[in-house]
Amino acid sequence: KIFINHPDPWPKRRHHKKRLFNAAFLDSLAYVLKKGGEVKVATDHKEYADWIIKHFKQDNRWQALHEGYSTMVPGENHIVTYFETIKRKEGFEPIFMSFRKVL
C-alpha cells in the first residue's frame, strides 16, 4: 500500500501542471505496486479530490475501491498528520480515496 496524505493541491489554474497526480505519477505508482496493491489518498481540497479521481478513472490499470470519495471513514492504518489536525480545527474535513492496481 501507498499512503499519500494531503498533497499540495496547487489550486490556481496556472499551477495545475505542478500537481502530484498526473499520468506520469500514476505510471510511477503502477511501476512500484504489484497487482492488487492499493493507493490511499487523503486531501481536504474537494476540487483536487475530483482531479485525482478523474486521473485514476482515465487509467485502466486502476479501480476505485469505492465510488467517489468519503469524508467519514479514513480507512485502516490512517495516520493523522499535523496538517490534518490543523485543517480540521479550521473546519476542513478530509476526503479519503482508495484505488487498487488491477493490471
Side-chain angles (χ1 to χ4, degrees), residues 41-58:
V41 185
T43 182
D44 63 356
H45 195 272
K46 184 185 178 310
E47 190 267 330
Y48 194 31
D50 293 337
W51 168 283
I52 292 167
I53 290 169
K54 180 185 89 169
H55 279 79
F56 273 101
K57 280 187 174 183
Q58 290 174 346

Side-chain angles (χ1 to χ4, degrees), residues 16 19-27 47-62 99:
H16 284 187
R19 287 181 165 179
L20 178 63
F21 285 91
N22 56 42
F25 185 63
L26 293 185
D27 288 343
E47 190 267 330
Y48 194 31
D50 293 337
W51 168 283
I52 292 167
I53 290 169
K54 180 185 89 169
H55 279 79
F56 273 101
K57 280 187 174 183
Q58 290 174 346
D59 191 325
N60 66 352
R61 295 173 292 187
W62 301 98
F99 305 93

